[in-house]
Amino acid sequence: MRNFAQVWGIALALLLGVWSEASAQGVASGGANLPDQAEQVFALANRARTEAGAPPLRWDAALATAALAHCRRMVAERQLGHRFNGELELVERAGVAGAHFSLIEENVAMAATPMEIHGAWMTSPPHRRNLLNPDVDRVGIAVIASRGELYAVADYTRGSQVLSAADVEQRVARMIAVSGVKAAGNSAAARAACTTDRGMPHESGAEEPTFVMRWQDAELKSLPEQLTARLASGKYRRAAIGSCPARGAASTFTLYRVAVLLY
């Protein structure tokens, strides 16, 4: 009969063998993903933000997915960086992962522990600014162990609410109503105007607006100054509001494009 020491020795050998095989597979696949360590970095960041008077960050699963993909690329390249050959830009990586935002920043690091990762960011002025930025409210973090080091990526954003075209038009209509101008114009014409850069699509028999304003915004908290001044002039009684997909390179962010026609 085997004694306890023999049984324990065999069990330990088996466990070590399984661990060694798993570790080898982790290295071969580009390193082991460590969500617990990512959570530690997240907790340290929020503690530092609280001490600095900044609001806490919320965890964003889409950003964490984007951060993990980039972290794996850093491990493969064996170096830190924000973009490697053939890789999408940060805003595109986050967008593809499903994040919605109006501002995005990124920190990367290589260190031995989560505390050292956090310390490296806090002692580097640009990384510290990103981590403590009061204008960001969400984060996704990834940590991968490879070749005796921890590679880390943190993607910070200011999240944007995803609104439908109808929601956008209603929100702008409420802001315009404060001036006494009613949203009672031709919405179809405004939506058509929204898709162009200048001028007005011609529609037979349609009334021509005396002023047209187009713009893109991430949060729709206020109207453009030029439009506000026009509304305050007292020259207009009706407005038509139309929304359409955002245009240009900035559309990788969550942006809303709006056209307002004044009559």
Side-chain angles (χ1 to χ4, degrees):
M1 179 180 293
R2 292 173 177 167
N3 61 31
F4 175 81
Q6 289 175 318
V7 173
W8 171 245
I10 293 171
L12 180 60
L14 290 172
L15 286 171
L16 289 173
V18 170
W19 180 86
S20 298
E21 182 179 355
S23 298
Q25 289 176 350
V27 172
S29 62
N33 179 27
L34 303 176
D36 288 346
Q37 280 77 352
E39 288 184 11
Q40 290 180 45
V41 176
F42 175 54
L44 289 167
N46 271 340
R47 184 185 304 169
R49 287 175 66 88
T50 298
E51 292 173 354
L57 298 169
R58 287 189 295 160
W59 185 267
D60 188 294
L63 290 175
T65 296
L68 180 58
H70 183 61
C71 198
R72 285 175 174 153
R73 185 62 188 271
M74 290 199 310
V75 170
E77 299 287 344
R78 301 192 176 200
Q79 61 179 312
L80 301 181
H82 292 288
R83 187 190 183 194
F84 298 101
N85 289 337
E87 189 179 29
L88 295 175
E89 295 278 4
L90 170 60
V91 292
E92 296 172 308
R93 296 198 305 266
V96 168
H100 299 278
F101 50 89
S102 58
L103 168 68
I104 187 166
E105 305 168 337
E106 184 175 72
N107 280 356
V108 297
M110 185 190 304
T113 67
M115 181 64 78
E116 289 184 17
I117 291 168
H118 177 72
W121 288 342
M122 289 296 287
T123 54
S124 165
H127 293 86
R128 181 186 177 91
R129 282 194 298 270
N130 288 346
L131 194 155
L132 299 180
N133 186 353
D135 291 332
V136 298
D137 56 16
R138 303 180 188 186
V139 69
I141 302 172
V143 177
I144 292 178
S146 180
R147 296 178 290 273
E149 295 279 0
L150 297 182
Y151 290 74
V153 176
D155 289 339
Y156 311 90
T157 66
R158 181 169 66 234
S160 291
Q161 184 180 6
V162 181
L163 303 174
S164 68
D167 290 335
V168 171
E169 293 169 4
Q170 291 172 9
R171 181 169 294 192
V172 174
R174 287 194 294 269
M175 289 189 285
I176 288 177
V178 174
S179 69
V181 176
K182 295 182 179 181
N186 188 339
S187 295
R191 291 169 189 148
C194 182
T195 63
T196 65
D197 289 324
R198 59 179 62 86
M200 280 291 299
H202 294 290
E203 184 178 340
S204 177
E207 180 184 4
E208 290 289 328
T210 55
F211 178 76
V212 179
M213 182 78 198
R214 302 174 181 85
W215 78 97
Q216 294 188 170
D217 197 353
E219 298 179 350
L220 298 176
K221 290 184 177 179
S222 61
L223 299 173
E225 291 183 4
Q226 186 180 3
L227 177 57
T228 299
R230 288 278 183 163
L231 292 169
S233 70
K235 296 179 180 179
Y236 308 97
R237 294 293 176 266
R238 293 182 294 112
I241 304 162
S243 179
C244 60
R247 304 180 65 186
S251 63
T252 50
F253 290 90
T254 301
L255 293 176
Y256 302 103
R257 183 173 174 84
V258 186
V260 171
L261 317 181
L262 296 182
Y263 301 88

